[in-house]
Amino acid sequence: MALPQERIYTIDDIYALPEGERAELFDGSIYYMAPPSRKHQAIVGELFGTIREYIKSNHGSCKPYVAPFAVFLNADDKNYVEPDISVVCASGKLSDKGCTGAPDWIIEVVSPGSRHIDYMIKLFKYRTAGVREYWIVDSDKNRVMVYNFPNNDMNEYTFADEIPSGIYPGFSICLASLDI
């Protein structure tokens, strides 16, 4: 007897979702996203504003984007993510649809339903796709995990710490000083 085949989803399925419904794809498996909490949005907004202001005031060429912003990690139609914050330094990766390839810096703010995805699946996917820096901001644990993939480096910080950016030497963020 043949086993039933698991459905493989593609980016076309993401674009066919009903209005207001969001999901991400990992190797053809779809993961639906719940609406973010107020605290989640406050953290994302403050981080995005801080990063954007730093880049603008230093005449940087990188561009920050806030979710929902499409990132096509691989050259296939079975992987699609919407990081909370993406910083893209190579303008050739950008199109009207989003970013094709790995952003340079990604920040994910953990939600109750995304914990496993942020800490496990996305960590692996971002590293193998070529993301340079990945921050996992976990407000339940008052912790920020910072991965600098080119240096094979991982550091853990609290919200009270000055957290340095690996792609912007001299730039750091203290989450406790933000309006969250």
Side-chain angles (χ1 to χ4, degrees):
M1 174 189 253
L3 295 174
Q5 288 191 331
E6 186 177 309
R7 178 167 180 201
I8 302 297
Y9 292 90
T10 68
I11 291 168
D12 289 339
D13 294 307
I14 293 292
Y15 283 107
L17 290 172
E19 183 72 30
E21 195 167 327
R22 293 176 49 215
E24 295 178 308
L25 281 177
F26 301 101
D27 299 321
S29 294
I30 197 163
Y31 293 82
Y32 293 95
M33 297 188 297
S37 69
R38 182 209 57 81
K39 185 173 184 178
H40 178 280
Q41 289 301 85
I43 293 169
V44 169
E46 289 293 318
L47 283 170
F48 175 79
T50 302
I51 294 165
R52 183 175 180 266
E53 184 57 36
Y54 176 83
I55 292 170
K56 284 183 88 166
S57 66
N58 288 279
H59 309 288
S61 60
C62 301
K63 300 287 184 198
Y65 297 91
V66 67
F69 177 71
V71 174
F72 308 94
L73 283 176
N74 304 348
D76 63 27
D77 66 346
K78 293 176 183 55
N79 288 280
Y80 168 94
V81 293
E82 292 182 1
D84 289 318
I85 299 172
S86 302
V87 178
V88 181
C89 299
S91 63
K93 292 181 179 181
L94 297 170
S95 72
D96 284 343
K97 287 191 171 194
C99 177
T100 301
D104 293 87
W105 182 10
I106 289 179
I107 299 175
E108 294 286 7
V109 178
V110 175
S111 298
S114 74
R115 185 167 300 283
H116 172 74
I117 293 168
D118 292 337
Y119 278 101
M120 304 297 288
I121 297 172
K122 287 185 177 180
L123 175 64
F124 174 76
K125 284 293 186 186
Y126 293 162
R127 180 184 190 115
T128 58
V131 171
R132 291 169 43 201
E133 185 168 350
Y134 176 39
W135 288 21
I136 303 173
V137 179
D138 194 330
S139 63
D140 287 346
K141 296 185 179 198
N142 191 41
R143 174 175 76 188
V144 180
M145 306 296 292
V146 175
Y147 296 87
N148 183 318
F149 295 131
N151 295 338
N152 289 319
D153 192 29
M154 187 277 296
N155 290 290
E156 183 176 334
Y157 300 93
T158 71
F159 278 28
D161 293 327
E162 286 289 331
I163 306 168
S165 165
I167 67 167
Y168 287 112
F171 174 53
S172 63
I173 300 173
C174 176
L175 274 83
S177 70
L178 301 178
D179 187 20
I180 47 178

